Amino acid sequence: MKIKTVVQKFRGSEDFFRCPICKKPFSLEETGSFLCTNGHCFDLSAKGYVNFLSGSGGDERYGRDLFESRKTVFEEGFYAPVLEAVRAVFGEYMPAGPRAVLDAGCGEGYYARMLADTGADIYAMDNAREAILSACRESGDVRCAVADLANIPAGNGSAGAILNILSPANYGEFARVLAPGGVLIKAVPGKHYLRELRQCVAERLSHAEYSNEKIIGHMAENADIADHRSIEYTLPVSERQLRAFYRMTPLTSRIPMKEADLSRIRGITVHMEIFAAFFPGGVL
Ligand SMILES: [Zn+2]
């Protein structure tokens, strides 16, 4: 991609981003850099994203293989019902004023990409560079950034909604970045999420049963939960798709695939709990 095209895509995002080092506003230079008033400079990549984790390539624990596997299962529709549920929550709770939506921990960018047709300005951030490389490949108007989600490079009150799908939360930062009345849409795995894979490797796991109680409890301590929907379905799965699931989930990341007997699995269960939550104090 020509850098001019990338600059064009990020034009107008200066009001959303802020310098992660000194918190000052940015200007977007024609040459393809975000430059803050103190001179900190972050370059746009010709691949179509900006890297705010200066001096490092971001979190490299998650390789390309993982995000490409995720892309496979997303493209083949396994998460389409989850997307519809997220879209419904978004439609119901997105406030009328601010148009920016931040997907915090976007992975390969499925939800960010699919919400682009809502007319909102979508920003997708992840601390893994491979995730952002994967996300920005077909991202359309979505602005992708490698960023530390414990120090989000976005101004106070700059987003109307934050998506946080199967990804760790930083509630202090979410409360700061959300505009007053802004909504956090968070999805966490339900008890039966990928249960066929869990059963398959059960004796190798420290907890055979998954519980999301801690995650939900932590959210309830930090935000007011206004809505909670549960979605669960089982879809038939081919061997190739099953292998993609196996590669993409942290559940099996320490167990080589050849040590798991996947031969009897014919379907895969997706179980998610989707929340809409608000921060009563508005901007901290
Ligand atoms: Zn700065």
Side-chain angles (χ1 to χ4, degrees):
M1 210 184 289
K2 281 202 182 118
I3 205 72
K4 241 169 81 180
T5 316
V6 186
V7 172
Q8 200 55 41
K9 173 170 158 170
F10 277 82
R11 189 64 68 205
S13 66
E14 301 94 314
D15 296 338
F16 177 80
F17 289 121
R18 75 172 193 186
C19 177
I21 298 169
C22 68
K23 328 286 188 220
K24 291 279 193 271
F26 279 127
S27 60
L28 178 56
E29 307 294 299
E30 281 302 325
T31 49
S33 307
F34 281 101
L35 189 65
C36 85
T37 46
N38 281 326
H40 301 122
C41 182
F42 299 88
D43 294 336
L44 292 169
S45 157
K47 294 197 166 121
Y49 68 96
V50 53
N51 188 350
F52 287 118
L53 283 180
S54 53
S56 88
D59 189 338
E60 300 295 346
R61 282 175 303 162
Y62 305 106
R64 164 172 302 182
D65 201 32
L66 179 128
F67 295 108
E68 291 306 313
S69 295
R70 282 170 56 138
K71 210 163 195 169
T72 300
V73 305
F74 283 121
E75 276 167 4
E76 294 177 14
F78 282 93
Y79 289 84
V82 177
L83 171 68
E84 285 320 305
V86 167
R87 197 189 274 284
V89 173
F90 179 83
E92 215 164 302
Y93 293 98
M94 174 76 183
R99 295 311 301 159
V101 173
L102 170 63
D103 186 347
C106 65
E108 46 54 69
Y110 174 69
Y111 299 96
R113 208 158 45 239
M114 301 308 273
L115 286 178
D117 66 0
T118 58
D121 298 332
I122 314 266
Y123 295 83
M125 291 186 191
D126 204 288
N127 62 358
R129 198 174 73 98
E130 284 297 345
I132 291 301
L133 276 173
S134 187
C136 74
R137 216 170 295 148
E138 298 146 37
S139 60
D141 292 334
V142 177
R143 284 127 171 194
C144 299
V146 182
D148 178 4
L149 297 178
N151 178 27
I152 298 176
N156 297 349
S158 57
I162 292 180
L163 302 184
N164 185 228
I165 315 278
L166 300 188
S167 183
N170 185 308
Y171 293 107
E173 279 296 82
F174 291 175
R176 179 184 69 74
V177 169
L178 278 175
V183 61
L184 167 65
I185 301 172
K186 182 168 174 63
V188 305
K191 194 176 170 190
H192 299 144
Y193 185 61
L194 307 185
R195 72 163 150 201
E196 296 80 5
L197 284 182
R198 179 170 283 278
Q199 282 161 1
C200 190
V201 296
E203 55 201 39
R204 304 281 298 269
L205 301 174
S206 46
H207 302 283
E209 284 266 295
Y210 171 74
S211 168
N212 56 23
E213 271 173 37
K214 257 193 190 161
I215 302 178
I216 296 170
H218 186 50
M219 174 169 36
E221 280 167 23
N222 285 280
D224 292 338
I225 296 173
D227 200 323
H228 172 202
R229 302 172 190 192
S230 187
I231 178 165
E232 179 174 350
Y233 50 92
T234 305
L235 294 173
V237 72
S238 71
E239 195 189 329
R240 180 182 55 81
Q241 291 164 334
L242 187 57
R243 295 170 81 85
F245 269 108
Y246 196 94
R247 278 194 294 267
M248 75 170 222
T249 173
L251 183 70
T252 50
S253 60
R254 294 208 181 88
I255 307 166
M257 206 183 303
K258 59 179 188 301
E259 292 175 23
D261 178 14
L262 302 176
S263 63
R264 278 171 301 170
I265 300 182
R266 296 284 177 271
I268 201 92
T269 298
V270 175
H271 180 201
M272 296 257 226
E273 312 223 31
I274 298 159
F275 296 85
F278 293 87
F279 296 94
V283 178
L284 292 180

